[in-house]
């Protein structure tokens, strides 16, 4: 590995670079980990599979603890998010060159848990090239995989590295598109500011809009949509935000608002969690939002406009996928341990039968029990890969 790795015993199986916090921060700025497959990335993956004559090609992004697949998959038992410690891509990402496992089951013992999981799914071959940002952080891989053992030439490694550069070009283009959307949101916010006098326009707007004024953050305007998101009625209008939404205390949002008011800079929140009193109970809700400073003709910030969208269902779906991925991996690991124990038991029984022919009948009875265990193992494996 060319990057310096953390030396803790905990990371022996799943090494991480010492700059992993900065690396993850670099990944976050692209707003791509955990998002759905996109046609442009699918097309690159298909091209890679065709070029190397291999059945599987994936583009992955390595987050703090999970590895997210960005491309569509046709792999039985695969999930869009898997634990970092069970992903070969989390290892390939650490190398600036292409990482190749020509025969997965006989890979370096350091990587045994990763190669065993891949081999359990039927893979024999793996090659992955890191996705490296313009400032030198590795955020994921493009990889190709096969069900048969094979070699990977220097020319093929160079081709895969070139495809990794194409992926990064696509990622950079994508973030520019997101920046355009943010600018669009900023312009929308500016237009709403200009029309604050037209209460009907704001009230009927299809997005959640509110206005807080002064140091006390008085709720000056709150349209129907934002009242629905808050779980509040029009009675909160005219109250200080701390009084209208007292549950915000201690969650960090009031501090963010104070900073926007003092700095005059907008704040963009993505999938941030907040505990709100809605529907007569406390709910954990997720939002995408912008806190946009409102300024007077002299350029002084006199208030803050909020434009928000609830994304709770989307975030909960991502969480469920993560839980399912972790559970599947743990079940596969348990299956491997049980299968190994089963094999050792059969070998011991066969050895005992040859040493003492009189216990043949007992051996037959035990073998019947072993057949039942084998069937149970097959069911466990099928469940883990569902």
């Amino acid at each position: 590995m060319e990057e310096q790795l953390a030396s803790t015993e905990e990371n022996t199986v799943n090494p991480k670079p010492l700059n992993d916090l900065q690396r993850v921060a670099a990944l976050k700025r692209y707003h791509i980990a955990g998002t759905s497959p996109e046609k442009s990335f699918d097309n690159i993956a298909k091209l890679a599979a065709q070029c190397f004559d291999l059945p599987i090609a994936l583009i992955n992004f390595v987050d703090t603890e999970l590895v997210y697949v960005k491309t569509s998959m046709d792999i039985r038992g695969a999930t869009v998010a898997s634990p970092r410690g069970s992903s070969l891509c989390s290892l390939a990402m650490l190398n600036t060159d292409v990482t190749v496992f020509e025969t997965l089951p006989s890979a370096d013992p350091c990587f045994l848990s990763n190669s065993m999981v891949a081999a359990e799914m039927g893979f024999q071959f793996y090659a992955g090239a890191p996705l490296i940002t313009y400032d030198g952080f590795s955020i994921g891989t493009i990889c190709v995989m096969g069900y048969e053992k094979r070699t990977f030439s220097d020319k093929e490694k160079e081709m895969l590295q070139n495809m990794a550069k194409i992926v990064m070009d696509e990622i950079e283009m994508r973030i520019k598109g997101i920046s355009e959307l943010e600018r669009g949101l900023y312009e929308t916010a500016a237009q709403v500011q200009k029309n604050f006098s037209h209460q009907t326009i704001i009230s009927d707007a299809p997005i959640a809009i509110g206005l807080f004024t002064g140091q006390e953050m008085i709720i000056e305007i709150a349209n129907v949509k934002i009242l629905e998101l808050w779980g509040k009625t029009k009675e909160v209008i005219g109250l200080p935000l701390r009084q209208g939404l007292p549950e915000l205390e201690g969650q960090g949002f009031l501090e963010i608002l104070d900073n926007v008011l003092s700095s005059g800079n907008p704040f963009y929140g993505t999938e941030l969690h907040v505990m709100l009193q809605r529907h007569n109970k406390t709910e954990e809700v997720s939002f995408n939002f912008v806190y946009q400073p409102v300024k007077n003709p002299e350029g002084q910030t006199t208030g803050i406009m909020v434009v928000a969208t609830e994304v709770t269902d989307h975030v909960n779906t991502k969480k469920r996928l993560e839980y399912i991925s972790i559970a599947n991996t743990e079940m596969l690991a348990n299956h491997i341990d049980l299968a190994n124990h089963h094999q050792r038991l059969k070998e011991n029984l066969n050895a005992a039968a040859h040493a003492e022919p009189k216990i043949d009948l007992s051996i037959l009875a035990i073998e019947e029990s072993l057949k039942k265990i084998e069937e149970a193992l097959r069911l466990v494996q099928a469940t883990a890969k569902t």
Side-chain angles (χ1 to χ4, degrees), residues 278-350:
R278 307 197 313 180
H279 311 118
N280 298 317
K281 62 181 181 179
T282 301
E283 296 184 7
E284 183 178 3
V285 187
S286 301
F287 289 99
N288 290 344
F289 63 90
V290 57
Y291 289 153
Q292 176 64 39
V294 177
K295 301 183 179 181
N296 60 22
E298 288 74 35
Q300 299 171 325
T301 302
T302 58
I304 298 173
M305 183 183 65
V306 56
V307 179
T309 303
E310 184 174 353
V311 291
T312 305
D313 290 342
H314 168 70
V315 171
N316 288 341
T317 298
K318 284 175 60 176
K319 286 182 179 178
R320 284 194 293 271
L321 289 171
E322 292 171 4
Y323 293 151
I324 291 170
S325 297
I326 293 171
N328 281 348
T329 300
E330 290 177 349
M331 193 174 292
L332 280 173
N334 290 335
H335 161 68
I336 292 169
D337 290 341
L338 188 56
N340 291 336
H341 179 72
H342 173 211
Q343 182 61 34
R344 288 194 298 269
L345 182 58
K346 287 181 68 176
E347 292 172 355
N348 291 338
L349 288 173
N350 289 332

Side-chain angles (χ1 to χ4, degrees), residues 76-354:
R76 182 182 176 185
T79 53
V80 297
S82 61
R84 184 170 174 175
S86 300
S87 170
L88 289 171
C89 288
S90 68
L91 299 170
M93 175 200 71
L94 301 173
N95 197 343
T96 55
D97 296 325
V98 175
T99 298
V100 178
F101 292 97
E102 296 182 349
T103 307
L104 278 176
S106 60
D108 189 320
C110 176
F111 306 144
L112 185 59
S113 66
N114 302 279
S115 62
M116 283 293 286
V117 171
E120 181 68 21
M121 299 175 71
F123 295 113
Q124 295 291 312
F125 172 83
Y126 172 93
L131 305 176
I132 301 175
T133 66
Y134 66 87
D135 47 355
F137 291 103
S138 182
I139 59 174
T141 66
I142 177 173
C143 70
V144 289
M145 303 178 74
Y147 297 106
E148 297 178 357
K149 302 173 185 178
R150 61 160 287 178
T151 58
F152 208 63
S153 67
D154 290 340
K155 183 66 175 179
E156 288 175 314
K157 291 178 183 178
E158 182 181 356
M159 290 172 60
L160 191 60
Q161 283 183 315
N162 288 335
M163 288 184 177
K165 294 176 183 177
I166 294 173
V167 172
M168 279 308 308
D169 287 342
E170 186 65 32
I171 293 171
E172 293 292 347
M173 290 177 61
R174 182 182 181 278
I175 194 61
K176 288 180 181 177
I178 291 176
S179 297
E180 290 292 336
L181 288 174
E182 288 184 345
R183 280 195 290 272
L185 179 58
Y186 181 92
E187 292 170 0
T188 299
Q191 289 298 319
V192 173
Q193 288 184 45
K194 292 178 181 179
N195 290 283
F196 271 145
S197 58
H198 302 286
Q199 294 288 338
T200 302
I201 295 175
I202 297 171
S203 178
D204 295 337
I207 56 176
I209 300 173
L211 173 67
F212 315 134
T213 58
Q215 293 292 333
E216 292 190 349
M217 293 286 104
I218 303 297
I219 303 175
E220 191 78 22
I221 295 175
N223 72 350
V224 174
K225 282 290 184 182
I226 203 164
L227 290 173
E228 289 177 356
L229 295 186
W230 288 345
K232 301 294 186 287
T233 67
K234 291 182 178 179
E235 294 178 358
V236 301
I237 297 177
L239 298 177
L241 186 61
R242 284 177 167 83
Q243 184 178 342
L245 282 80
E247 60 267 36
L248 292 182
E249 196 72 49
Q251 298 194 57
F253 293 93
L254 298 176
E255 291 76 10
I256 294 173
L257 286 165
D258 288 340
N259 185 60
V260 172
L261 192 64
S262 60
S263 69
N265 297 321
F267 177 88
Y268 293 91
T270 304
E271 296 182 6
L272 292 188
H273 306 294
V274 58
M275 304 302 295
L276 292 176
Q277 293 293 327
R278 307 197 313 180
H279 311 118
N280 298 317
K281 62 181 181 179
T282 301
E283 296 184 7
E284 183 178 3
V285 187
S286 301
F287 289 99
N288 290 344
F289 63 90
V290 57
Y291 289 153
Q292 176 64 39
V294 177
K295 301 183 179 181
N296 60 22
E298 288 74 35
Q300 299 171 325
T301 302
T302 58
I304 298 173
M305 183 183 65
V306 56
V307 179
T309 303
E310 184 174 353
V311 291
T312 305
D313 290 342
H314 168 70
V315 171
N316 288 341
T317 298
K318 284 175 60 176
K319 286 182 179 178
R320 284 194 293 271
L321 289 171
E322 292 171 4
Y323 293 151
I324 291 170
S325 297
I326 293 171
N328 281 348
T329 300
E330 290 177 349
M331 193 174 292
L332 280 173
N334 290 335
H335 161 68
I336 292 169
D337 290 341
L338 188 56
N340 291 336
H341 179 72
H342 173 211
Q343 182 61 34
R344 288 194 298 269
L345 182 58
K346 287 181 68 176
E347 292 172 355
N348 291 338
L349 288 173
N350 289 332
H354 285 92

Side-chain angles (χ1 to χ4, degrees), residues 11-24:
N11 288 328
T12 301
V13 175
N14 179 23
K16 294 182 180 180
L18 290 176
N19 66 347
D20 202 52
L21 289 177
Q22 295 90 335
R23 187 198 65 78
V24 171

